[in-house]
Amino acid sequence: MDKANRASQARFACRSCGFIDHADRNGSRNIRHRAEELWRRGAQSTAPDPPPNTGRGTGHKRSTTASGARCASPGPFSPG
């Protein structure tokens, strides 16, 4: 976690173990690892609840999948 490990904007090079990788890829792996650990422990989300629906649409049609999940519809499909 030493700032000196960030050799440049795009390059991560650990001065302790010698691991070298693209900085963004290394960061995304760290985030994924932390999320997996929290998920395994059953940690609750700290994300705020979405604002209440005021009845005003965003202009996107929404539908429900077979599993009950909501998804945005890209609009009418016109074949070829």
Side-chain angles (χ1 to χ4, degrees):
M1 292 182 39
D2 188 351
K3 288 187 179 192
N5 289 336
R6 190 73 178 255
S8 70
Q9 178 69 25
R11 185 171 175 252
F12 174 86
C14 181
R15 295 181 184 261
S16 176
C17 71
F19 177 76
I20 298 173
D21 198 2
H22 188 281
D24 289 343
R25 183 180 316 132
N26 183 61
S28 68
R29 287 179 181 155
N30 289 338
I31 292 168
R32 181 186 67 208
H33 177 71
R34 289 177 190 162
E36 287 173 345
E37 286 297 316
L38 290 171
W39 182 78
R40 280 189 210 121
R41 288 188 223 147
Q44 296 295 314
S45 173
T46 58
D49 288 334
N53 187 355
T54 60
R56 297 182 191 164
T58 61
H60 297 285
K61 294 181 181 177
R62 299 211 174 255
S63 61
T64 305
T65 64
S67 66
R70 291 172 51 99
C71 60
S73 172
F77 176 72
S78 303

